[in-house]
Structure formats: C-alpha cells, structure tokens
Amino acid sequence: LENTILQGLTFDAAAGRLAFKDVRYLLIRPETLAAFQKAVEAELGERAGELLYQGGFTGGSLSARRYREVFGYSDREIVEFMCRMGGEIGWGRFELKTLNASRGELVVEVLRSPFAEAYGPATVGVCHLIRGVLGGLAEGVFGMSVRAEEVQCLAKGDAVCKFVIMRICSDVVFFGG
Ligand SMILES: [Zn+2]
C-alpha cells in the first residue's frame, strides 16, 4: 500500500534532517520512549502521563494547523488526514470511529500501538503521546478545551487502544448564589 508520508519525505544529508512538507520528523525506537516514560513515572507517578500528554498535544496542535494550511482541509479532512498519517509514520493503524463537531466528540481506535507494545503489560492506558496528539487535534477542530481519555489499551490486555475525546462543556449551568 502506498505511503504518502514516506514518499513525500525529504532528506538533507548535510543537516541529518528528514522533513515532510518542510516539517521536521525523526525516527526513534519505541523502547527509547518507553524507557523515558517509565523513568518519569518512577519520579512523578500519574503526573507523568499528563506531561507526556502535553508533549503529544503540542505536536498534534501544530500538525493539524500546519497541514490544514498546506492542504486547505476541512475539519473532517484534517482529522482523516491525521489518522492516515498516524499509521504512515508508524504510530499504529488509526481508525476514525466518531467525529461529531456539534457534540464535540472524537473517537479513534488504534491497532498495534508501538507505545503499548514497547511498554509491556500495564494496569492503565500507556499511550499518552497518541492521546495528546488526538487531544491537540480535537481542540483545534472543536475550538474548545477538551478532555481526552484512553478507555482501552493494548497494554491492559484490550484488543485495541481506544481514545475518547470530549469537548469540555462551557455551558454548565451554575445554581445558587
Ligand atoms: Zn494504548
């Protein structure tokens, strides 16, 4: 199957630089990230997941904005592109399950997450970088803050990793005074 990202990569040997549409990428072993994640978790516990989420969030926001400009994509097109790109850069096979802009809901399943495979068995979801990318993407599409959860994870023994991203309600009614 064709891989439009690999086909579009440019290589600058003098700089040791790979780029797609002039956005730099690097290849890194999943074990490197898993070791980093476990080291941060040993220091910070659950907070580590939120920090990794922030890293993914930044990448997702920047990519969604950049490729929307480059290709002139609509909301749905940029989500579909990012899901296809996820697979093409080796982050697992992304399947868009739900994109409902009016409800502010994005659901994506990822098969064979390299983050989960490298991490090994766990009691909670471990794919914080994917969760962050999808959170950053969704916040750009919905134009509002979101909450992103990995409700199933390969590392927990689930068949796939499943991410549910919900707009955080801004129209909460407060009672009392
Ligand atoms: Zn996972």
Side-chain angles (χ1 to χ4, degrees):
L1 219 65
E2 72 168 344
N3 185 322
T4 56
I5 304 298
L6 288 187
Q7 285 160 2
L9 275 185
T10 58
F11 173 49
D12 176 349
R17 184 179 193 273
L18 290 173
F20 175 74
K21 303 290 177 192
D22 213 33
V23 177
R24 189 171 189 175
Y25 284 83
L26 69 104
L27 292 169
I28 191 164
R29 288 189 61 131
E31 291 85 351
T32 304
L33 295 172
F36 171 69
Q37 181 166 339
K38 288 181 179 185
V40 179
E41 285 170 352
E43 288 290 323
L44 301 176
E46 280 185 13
R47 176 124 178 81
E50 281 316 296
L51 299 178
L52 289 160
Y53 175 84
Q54 285 303 325
F57 187 96
T58 299
S61 300
L62 288 171
S63 291
R65 200 175 313 149
R66 170 74 178 159
Y67 298 125
R68 192 198 278 272
E69 283 172 14
V70 168
F71 297 110
Y73 282 154
S74 67
D75 286 348
R76 175 162 286 274
E77 285 169 338
I78 190 63
V79 172
E80 288 172 346
F81 170 80
M82 293 282 285
C83 284
R84 193 173 72 241
M85 183 178 200
E88 291 182 353
I89 64 172
W91 284 42
R93 196 175 91 213
F94 284 50
E95 289 186 356
L96 175 59
K97 293 294 176 183
T98 307
L99 173 61
N100 187 320
S102 58
R103 268 214 319 275
E105 184 184 15
L106 171 67
V107 179
V108 175
E109 288 183 359
V110 177
L111 283 79
R112 301 290 305 273
S113 158
F115 306 102
E117 286 190 358
Y119 192 96
T123 55
V124 294
V126 300
C127 305
H128 304 296
L129 288 172
I130 298 177
R131 190 167 60 85
V133 166
L134 294 173
L137 168 64
E139 199 159 296
V141 167
F142 299 147
M144 282 190 201
S145 298
V146 299
R147 190 182 68 236
E149 292 180 15
E150 185 178 17
V151 297
Q152 295 174 23
C153 183
L154 189 62
K156 290 194 297 179
D158 297 312
V160 298
C161 298
K162 182 176 183 179
F163 301 88
V164 176
I165 295 90
M166 297 290 296
R167 188 178 63 204
I168 295 173
C169 268
S170 58
D171 55 356
V172 177
V173 179
F174 290 100
F175 296 96

